[in-house]
Amino acid sequence: MEKSKATLKIKRFNPEKDNAPHWESYQIEVEPTDRILDGLNYVKWYQDGTLSFRRSCAHGICGSDAMRIDGRNRLACKILFKDLGEVITVEPIAGLPVIKDLIVDMEPFMEHYRAVLPYLINDDPPPPDERYQSPADRAKFDDTTKCILCACCTTSCPSFWAKEEYIGPAAIVQAHRFIFDSRDHGAAERLDILSDSDGVWRCRTIFNCTDACPRSIEVTRAISEVKREMLFRKM
Ligand code: SF4
Ligand code: F3S
Ligand code: FES
């Protein structure tokens, strides 16, 4: 396949040396089907070994290479050069503290995730074989099982940018996955947590989260279902 020129314009920041972030450009040659992650690897391996970014699976599964590419949150391993222009901007996802270059501190995000009790709660003694669930009941939360905790949604949400205490769409997606699981008994507790002033009602239905999700989860819809469930249970 024929190679073409591309420029990666990357926002760099090294807290040990820099007072503020700055842009640096790198010229590379790429095949159209190369992914932005391939380009970043090329820069790191052959041009500037100090460039820092997270990546692992390279197949859209681990969620570690979320970044802002041409102004939109995406996974670098899922975006091809042929789908973007010749000059491509790459920045860290917004709203979380930058540790270095494209690496942000995920701890505040994970704190919100842990807050919604993202695990099955059921103290009933387990049946001899398994806890059965009908296909119809399983379908109620199928979409939200696909979340890989990449943070593309939460860090594209203006409500989160405005107030970092907002629990954020990713945590609500994770709560949804258990609230609508017929085998789980922790829905009331989770809904109580999400009814806080920094919980679901801080969502203004802006839809950036849904647009940003690399797993095509209907994030805003999941949030609306949680809001409805909260109101329904209060009636
Ligand atoms: Fe990432 Fe989508 Fe999960 Fe949000 S809902 S963390 S965008 S996979
Ligand atoms: Fe934010 Fe998504 Fe709601 S972008 S405001 S969480 S619909
Ligand atoms: Fe794992 Fe991109 S490197 S999702």
Side-chain angles (χ1 to χ4, degrees), residues 216-227:
S216 303
I217 296 170
E218 292 185 76
V219 181
T220 312
R221 182 195 172 118
I223 296 171
S224 304
E225 287 177 359
V226 170
K227 286 177 178 170

Side-chain angles (χ1 to χ4, degrees), residues 156-159 166 169 202-209 220 223:
S156 67
C157 170
S159 294
Y166 169 39
R202 204 162 276 287
C203 165
R204 303 288 191 260
T205 325
I206 296 171
F207 274 91
N208 283 15
C209 52
T220 312
I223 296 171

Side-chain angles (χ1 to χ4, degrees), residues 55-224:
R55 74 283 193 201
S56 181
C57 71
H59 290 285
I61 295 300
C62 73
S64 62
D65 61 342
M67 46 191 84
R68 204 169 172 81
I69 299 170
D70 272 356
R72 285 180 53 190
N73 281 4
R74 328 189 203 211
L75 298 178
C77 65
K78 282 196 78 177
I79 300 297
L80 306 182
F81 276 91
K82 74 179 171 66
D83 295 326
L84 299 174
E86 203 176 303
V87 180
I88 296 154
T89 59
V90 186
E91 305 165 70
I93 45 178
L96 293 169
V98 176
I99 295 176
K100 186 170 182 282
D101 298 334
L102 303 172
I103 297 180
V104 297
D105 181 1
M106 293 291 281
E107 188 47 32
F109 174 82
M110 289 300 174
E111 216 175 280
H112 291 184
Y113 164 61
R114 288 192 291 268
V116 301
L117 316 176
Y119 41 80
L120 192 90
I121 298 174
N122 186 338
D123 291 335
D124 291 351
D129 35 24
E130 60 184 286
R131 297 184 199 273
Y132 284 116
Q133 184 166 60
S134 71
D137 279 342
R138 175 64 176 74
K140 288 180 188 160
F141 62 97
D142 186 64
D143 199 32
T144 46
T145 62
K146 295 185 291 183
C147 177
I148 55 173
L149 287 171
C150 66
C152 279
C153 54
T154 298
T155 60
S156 67
C157 170
S159 294
F160 176 70
W161 296 336
K163 194 159 191 279
E164 66 188 27
E165 288 81 11
Y166 169 39
I167 196 132
I172 303 171
V173 160
Q174 289 291 331
H176 179 286
R177 184 256 168 269
F178 292 100
I179 288 169
F180 293 95
D181 187 331
S182 58
R183 301 162 299 183
D184 183 88
H185 293 171
E189 201 178 344
R190 288 189 200 92
L191 290 169
D192 193 43
I193 292 162
L194 290 170
S195 67
D196 182 88
S197 61
D198 290 320
V200 285
W201 301 110
R202 204 162 276 287
C203 165
R204 303 288 191 260
T205 325
I206 296 171
F207 274 91
N208 283 15
C209 52
T210 302
D211 291 343
C213 181
R215 304 284 292 165
S216 303
I217 296 170
E218 292 185 76
V219 181
T220 312
R221 182 195 172 118
I223 296 171
S224 304

